[in-house]
Amino acid sequence: MQDQSMTWTQTYLHDYKEGMGVFAEHMPEVAHQFSQFSQECFKAGELSQKDKQLMALGISIVAQDEYCMIYHTKGCVDQGASEKEILEACGVAAAFGGGAALSQAVTLVQDAYSDLTNNIN
């Protein structure tokens, strides 16, 4: 059930974190190794953290992974990606994932972006 003080994106992210917490209780070493690996992959290198988040968003759209779409839309916003950059990443995903990818991009990603940036100002 959604806490009335949380937006729907915050609720999705909270549910993911809770699920990972339960998983980590049962599989602590796997959860730790996955977290370490992910952190290393998303560090700035030749590609910026923003570029990596945009890539991850596109991949999550093609994979039809709603939690990752929201998580990486937040990552894009946190790294300063503009709405236009996010939508361009969605367009590239649609080129690979076809109509199913585009349907996620024009609904879930746009809604998440609006929800995440609506309270910034």
Side-chain angles (χ1 to χ4, degrees):
M1 182 169 178
Q2 182 174 341
D3 179 342
Q4 296 298 337
S5 65
M6 291 195 307
T7 66
W8 70 270
T9 53
Q10 290 170 330
T11 300
Y12 256 85
L13 295 170
H14 175 77
D15 290 349
Y16 173 77
K17 288 178 185 176
E18 275 191 346
M20 284 301 290
V22 171
F23 180 79
E25 289 174 12
H26 296 284
M27 303 292 293
E29 192 58 31
V30 172
H32 174 74
Q33 293 297 327
F34 177 77
S35 177
Q36 291 295 108
F37 175 72
S38 294
Q39 287 177 23
E40 189 64 31
C41 289
F42 281 89
K43 284 183 180 176
E46 295 300 312
L47 297 172
S48 70
Q49 288 180 306
K50 180 173 80 171
D51 290 337
K52 290 180 178 189
Q53 287 294 335
L54 289 163
M55 289 171 59
L57 175 59
I59 293 165
S60 67
I61 291 168
V62 174
Q64 299 287 297
D65 184 336
E66 290 185 4
Y67 283 95
C68 284
M69 284 182 237
I70 293 168
Y71 184 85
H72 292 293
T73 298
K74 181 177 182 342
C76 290
V77 169
D78 290 349
Q79 292 302 316
S82 69
E83 183 176 17
K84 182 80 170 180
E85 289 172 315
I86 290 169
L87 293 176
E88 284 186 21
C90 292
V92 172
F96 278 83
L102 185 59
S103 70
Q104 295 290 355
V106 301
T107 56
L108 192 62
V109 173
Q110 288 186 129
D111 289 346
Y113 179 82
S114 292
D115 192 57
L116 290 163
T117 59
N118 191 33
N119 296 322
I120 290 177
N121 301 325

